[in-house]
Amino acid sequence: MTHAAQDLQPLLTDDAPVRALQRRLYLRTLTVLCPTTLILALFVPAYPEPLRGALLLCALASAVLLVVLWRGWAALRTVAWSLLLIGVLINETLLIGSLVGTPYTPHLYFYVTLLTFAWSFLSFGDRLGRRLALGIYLLTLGTALLFVLPGTPLAQTDLAPFWRMFTIFSVISPIFIVVLSALATLTRDQMQGRLRALSQFVYQDALTGLPNRRAFQEELDRRVRRAVDSGAHGTLMLININEFVHLNDRLGHAAGDEALRILTARWQDGLVAGSHLSRTDGDEFALILPTLAPAELAGQIDRVLSRTHEPMELGGEVHTLQARVGVSHFPQHGDDASTVTSHAGLALAAARGQEPPVATYSAELAAATERRRQVLHTLEVALAHQGLHLVYQPIFDLHTGEVRSAEALVRCRFALTPEPGPDEFIAVAEAAERMRPVGQWIMGAVLGQLRAWHDSGVHLPRVNVNVSAQELLTPGYAEALLAQLSSRGLDPQVLELELTERSVLEDAAVRELHLLRQAGMAVSIDDFGTGHSSLAWLHALPITCVKLDRRFTHMLDQDGAADRLAHTVVTLARALELEVVAEGIETQEQLRRLRELGCVLGQGYLFTKPLSPSEFVAFWRQASRTDVGQDTSP
């Protein structure tokens, strides 16, 4: 095998096509050789019996070899050597026949010898083929000279015709060998070039010039095995570019490609010796590090994150990117490449949303990941088999006791211990980007319930529905929702969408909200006070309400800062002509303080837990006769 082919051998783990081609070549050669040799032995009467016997032996050997090859009982290399030996035996037999004056034999000898030279190069390459061809040539010369030396039986024979042919042969054969050697060398060099190009194609990422996934897997496998055998250590870092798909969508793939090239150059500058950086997917990279002290490893991670965040010019604009990193160590976290990669992948998933966005694999992280997997699986089963249901939590006027609306909340039954609460399984669904089907089910169930209530004479002012960023960024979301309302004969005013601050950071989301507000639908910001809202941001959004996060409500009777924040939110909302809903009211003191602050609306366990549709209707009908200012906590 050539050096280039050896370089490529890890790729060519299955050389069946090459072996199949060789097998067909050898079969066809034997199919021609066997009958040809038999015909020479049987139908050329001038052959002496010893020579005839040698040809018959070659015919028999060819027939046996043909059967052996056809049945797959011998390696192809063995067949190639056997064919060469048969060719040499035939060649020597024809040479002796030429010397004893057998008709036609000199010409056959000449052609067979040249074919034997060609076979040497074809089957064994330029280097070994050249040695074999020269060896056969010298063997031929030696045999001829042996038969004409003084004292031999042929020494006195008239060999003039033979010597004329043999002289021509002796001159032509070296030339023929040189030409075949040159052709074989040229073929080898071309093949090496092609193999090197193929190796580069197979092992190198065309965009960044980094090693690709295949090269990474082989390098990691080599290092992990070495670490296991020698007791050394190493680290695998998986690096993911956050929101890279959105960058491609906004600026185009050319800008995205340029960003990856810039990041590659930045990361490569300053890598410690012995590092191996590769691109394993569109926006995912892998960095294999040698044994490093904890401080050195932390510095390497910081450099990757900081250099990712450095501004870069793309499409005539300045942009900054963020990355997250998952870390696993070998052999501590796995004694094979697949396990080490899998554990780094778990850490990478756990790093999403963390600050700093770095996670290292641990048994606890694996347990949390398995928990999320179980929760997501149960949620998927519930979606497929109608295992979800809705409950409704009333929203009250804190001064009159009137039920102003209700928030629809999704629930799912889990056979897990402890059973996941709504916050947990919603967070899992969002992380797995499965909120679109969950949100579609919720909206369909709410609209169906509203239609059923309207048909039975229950006319709620409004139902609040939580909508995720994934849903809101679905192209045509507003148009599809308005079509659903229209198909059920419902007015858009019966809905209020509750959104987190993160949901409306994209321009596309704001456009969808404007369409819904124009149709008369209300929009509120949920968990207000926990994000990064600004006054200008609030003023620009098409919202009608803000909801004070329950964490601030709970601290009203404990923390003066929370009290001041609630007062600020209420004052700000009034200035912007927005309603304020206080979430999570659980005590009379919280209710009293909210009333003093001027908060008009609220919800919480002080009034009632979330109710099933039938319980909610009964509660709604009774609420107008109940003073919510009394102690009605369950």
Side-chain angles (χ1 to χ4, degrees):
M1 183 182 296
T2 65
H3 178 69
Q6 289 174 343
D7 290 342
L8 197 58
Q9 185 60 25
L11 170 66
L12 302 177
T13 54
D14 183 8
D15 58 350
V18 176
R19 288 186 285 108
L21 181 62
Q22 289 177 324
R23 186 172 181 271
R24 287 197 298 271
L25 174 64
Y26 297 164
L27 282 172
R28 290 176 182 177
T29 301
L30 286 167
T31 302
V32 174
L33 182 63
C34 182
T36 301
T37 310
L38 187 62
I39 290 171
L40 284 175
L42 297 179
F43 297 102
V44 180
Y47 267 123
E49 286 301 325
L51 298 182
R52 189 186 306 276
L55 290 175
L56 285 173
L57 179 61
C58 289
L60 177 61
S62 300
V64 172
L65 198 59
L66 181 63
V67 174
V68 167
L69 179 60
W70 184 262
R71 300 291 294 180
W73 292 338
L76 292 175
R77 195 72 170 175
T78 302
V79 175
W81 279 105
S82 301
L83 275 169
L84 182 64
L85 291 175
I86 292 173
V88 171
L89 181 58
I90 294 173
N91 181 61
E92 293 299 299
T93 302
L94 293 175
L95 174 60
I96 296 172
S98 299
L99 290 169
V100 298
T102 304
Y104 312 112
T105 301
H107 298 86
L108 288 174
Y109 159 73
F110 183 78
Y111 295 134
V112 170
T113 302
L114 297 183
L115 287 174
T116 307
F117 292 159
W119 182 262
S120 300
F121 286 101
L122 181 64
S123 294
F124 302 101
D126 63 327
R127 294 186 178 92
L128 181 57
R130 184 163 48 246
R131 297 189 187 100
L132 290 173
L134 288 173
I136 294 169
Y137 175 66
L138 294 176
L139 177 63
T140 301
L141 292 179
T143 303
L145 294 175
L146 181 64
F147 273 82
V148 297
L149 286 174
T152 61
L154 298 178
Q156 305 304 320
T157 306
D158 182 13
L159 297 175
F162 169 76
W163 283 117
R164 284 195 297 271
M165 184 278 299
F166 192 75
T167 301
I168 295 172
F169 165 79
S170 301
V171 174
I172 290 179
S173 290
I175 298 174
F176 191 67
I177 292 173
V178 169
V179 171
L180 286 177
S181 177
L183 289 175
T185 301
L186 178 62
T187 302
R188 183 200 65 191
D189 292 342
Q190 289 179 335
M191 183 62 69
Q192 283 181 337
R194 291 177 181 178
L195 287 176
R196 290 191 186 99
L198 179 60
S199 177
Q200 185 177 35
F201 173 78
V202 171
Y203 286 99
Q204 187 179 69
D205 175 57
L207 176 64
T208 63
L210 292 175
N212 62 11
R213 174 179 288 275
R214 185 184 295 275
F216 155 71
Q217 290 172 335
E218 293 183 8
E219 179 67 15
L220 181 63
D221 181 68
R222 183 181 67 82
R223 294 202 187 195
V224 171
R225 282 190 281 107
R226 185 176 65 187
V228 171
D229 294 340
S230 66
H233 301 279
T235 298
L236 171 62
M237 289 170 48
L238 293 184
I239 309 164
N240 183 262
I241 311 302
N242 297 339
E243 309 297 337
F244 186 73
V245 173
H246 295 317
L247 176 70
N248 270 336
D249 292 342
R250 288 165 50 203
L251 301 180
H253 289 281
D257 292 347
E258 180 62 20
L260 293 180
R261 284 190 287 266
I262 292 173
L263 287 178
T264 298
R266 289 177 178 177
W267 291 339
Q268 286 180 305
D269 181 23
L271 287 178
V272 298
S275 300
H276 184 275
L277 178 64
S278 55
R279 183 187 180 203
T280 57
D281 204 350
D283 58 355
E284 187 170 294
F285 296 78
L287 177 58
I288 308 174
L289 297 170
T291 303
L292 296 177
E296 292 178 304
L297 177 59
Q300 190 69 67
I301 294 173
D302 288 342
R303 278 194 294 274
V304 168
L305 294 177
S306 62
R307 292 184 178 184
T308 304
H309 191 58
E310 291 175 5
M312 64 177 69
E313 185 174 338
L314 301 171
E317 303 175 1
V318 177
H319 295 268
T320 58
L321 298 176
Q322 303 284 348
R324 55 191 172 96
V325 175
V327 179
S328 67
H329 303 292
F330 55 87
Q332 300 96 309
H333 297 153
D335 55 7
D336 62 83
S338 177
T339 302
V340 173
T341 305
S342 175
H343 289 169
L346 292 178
L348 182 66
R352 186 189 298 272
Q354 289 190 182
E355 191 57 46
V358 180
T360 301
Y361 175 80
S362 65
E364 294 76 16
L365 185 147
T369 301
E370 176 60 19
R371 166 79 173 183
R372 288 194 297 272
R373 188 197 65 79
Q374 293 175 344
V375 170
L376 183 61
H377 174 72
T378 304
L379 186 59
E380 295 279 10
V381 172
L383 272 171
H385 298 90
Q386 300 181 344
L388 300 177
H389 65 281
L390 292 178
V391 293
Y392 296 84
Q393 186 170 42
I395 297 176
F396 295 91
D397 185 312
L398 300 183
H399 300 277
T400 67
E402 176 188 2
V403 176
R404 293 281 297 273
S405 59
E407 181 179 0
L409 303 170
V410 65
R411 295 291 185 265
C412 180
R413 296 181 180 87
F414 292 88
L416 298 175
T417 303
E419 183 173 358
D423 290 344
E424 181 180 358
F425 74 75
I426 291 296
V428 168
E430 285 185 336
E433 298 187 351
R434 293 295 292 159
M435 275 309 297
R436 282 192 179 94
V438 174
Q440 289 170 357
W441 183 90
I442 293 172
M443 188 60 72
V446 167
L447 296 183
Q449 185 63 69
L450 279 171
R451 183 68 266 169
W453 280 339
H454 283 208
D455 292 343
S456 62
V458 177
H459 298 284
L460 286 177
R462 187 179 297 151
V463 171
N464 294 28
V465 181
N466 291 278
V467 176
S468 71
Q470 295 171 27
E471 297 173 78
L472 195 58
L473 290 173
T474 302
Y477 174 80
E479 182 179 350
L481 179 54
L482 293 174
Q484 284 184 281
L485 287 161
S486 177
S487 66
R488 288 177 169 84
L490 297 173
D491 192 288
Q493 294 182 5
V494 301
L495 284 184
E496 179 173 330
L497 302 187
E498 293 192 10
L499 309 158
T500 62
E501 297 174 38
R502 186 173 61 87
S503 303
V504 289
L505 293 178
E506 297 283 348
D507 292 340
V510 176
R511 286 194 295 269
E512 298 293 320
L513 292 180
H514 275 293
L515 292 174
L516 295 173
R517 281 294 299 131
Q518 291 170 7
M521 193 176 299
V523 178
S524 63
I525 298 297
D526 199 9
D527 300 332
F528 187 76
T530 61
H532 305 282
S533 306
S534 68
L535 183 60
W537 180 82
L538 280 176
H539 182 68
L541 288 176
I543 60 175
T544 56
C545 175
V546 294
K547 300 189 76 172
L548 184 65
D549 186 74
R550 67 183 68 247
R551 282 171 284 185
F552 298 109
T553 302
H554 291 171
M555 292 188 294
L556 279 176
D557 49 6
Q558 308 169 18
D559 189 337
D563 190 290
R564 290 190 295 274
L565 176 61
H567 178 70
T568 301
V569 170
V570 172
T571 303
L572 177 62
R574 283 177 174 172
L576 296 174
E577 299 182 350
L578 301 176
E579 292 184 326
V580 179
V581 177
E583 298 180 306
I585 304 173
E586 295 183 356
T587 69
Q588 287 289 336
E589 178 58 26
Q590 292 168 0
L591 175 61
R592 183 192 65 78
R593 186 59 187 138
L594 286 167
R595 283 172 169 169
E596 291 177 353
L597 292 174
C599 185
V600 177
L601 302 176
Q603 64 186 107
Y605 273 39
L606 175 65
F607 313 118
T608 180
K609 65 179 182 180
L611 305 169
S612 67
S614 58
E615 291 173 334
F616 175 76
V617 171
F619 184 88
W620 175 68
R621 287 172 173 163
Q622 181 66 27
S624 59
R625 298 188 295 272
T626 302
D627 181 2
V628 298
Q630 298 173 0
D631 186 0
T632 58
S633 59

